Amino acid sequence: MPPVLHRQGWIEVIAGPMFSGKSEELIRRVKRALIARQRVVVFKPRLDNRYHPAYVVSHDGERVEAIPVGRAQEMEAHLDPLPDVVAVDEVQFLDEGLLPLVERLAQRGVRVILAGLDLDFRGEPFGLMPELLARAEFVEKLTAICPRCGAPATRTQRLVNGQPARYTDPVILVGAEEHYEPRCRACHQVRY
Ligand SMILES: [Zn+2]
């Protein structure tokens, strides 16, 4: 391990479809920073209540404590004193305020770890992700396995009542039975 001569900040992004292990990878990086006795603050959007509101939880059950935020601006209150590492899960759901915030943190020497879906169920860039991917020093794109053909899955298939979702479907469909699975480019389907 080389000596740390000066404190250097940067942005790293972990991207990929659902079930590609993004939260797991974020948790792995956070735990390593904690072992190195670094001060780490973890955030997640408040709308994500899949498991527990105060943790980032991976599909294999690993977890780290996280502060749920409704807007990026709410993070500011938790960043004084400035931590060594700031990690944010599910960044595709956060507002544009995240961009200047993460730039400022990296500029001030903070290692920023961001995880999120790069593509929505239509296969189109999701929220802030294109901008974050461009600004990041380091990008890791994870893949899942396509259950149809076994190829690396880069996309998230949305199924509504067993059918591929329509392009025009809203993000939340009341009364419909929804299911998501990873798919490769060839097997990913959207109804137009
Ligand atoms: Zn496939």
Side-chain angles (χ1 to χ4, degrees), residues 146 148-149 151 184 187:
C146 177
R148 289 209 153 179
C149 73
C184 70
C187 297

Side-chain angles (χ1 to χ4, degrees), residues 3 10 23 30 34 40 68 83 96 124 131 140 143 164 175 185 191:
W10 64 80
S23 297
V30 164
L34 291 171
V40 183
E96 281 185 357
E124 303 204 335
E131 185 104 11
E140 180 151 18
T143 57
R185 178 188 285 276
R191 283 191 294 159

Side-chain angles (χ1 to χ4, degrees), residues 7 12 25-44 54 56 63-67 75 78-89 105 109-114:
R7 189 171 151 144
E12 48 196 92
E25 177 60 19
L26 180 135
I27 291 166
R28 191 184 75 87
R29 294 184 191 187
V30 164
K31 287 195 166 171
R32 286 170 60 91
L34 291 171
I35 290 166
R37 298 179 188 281
Q38 296 187 317
R39 217 174 86 77
V40 183
V41 179
V42 184
F43 297 101
K44 61 187 281 189
V56 171
R63 65 183 197 173
V64 289
E65 271 185 64
I67 301 167
M75 294 179 192
H78 305 277
L79 299 174
D80 186 21
L82 209 57
D84 302 299
V85 178
V86 170
V88 190
D89 198 22
L105 289 172
V110 177
R111 175 187 175 195
V112 180
I113 307 171
L114 307 172

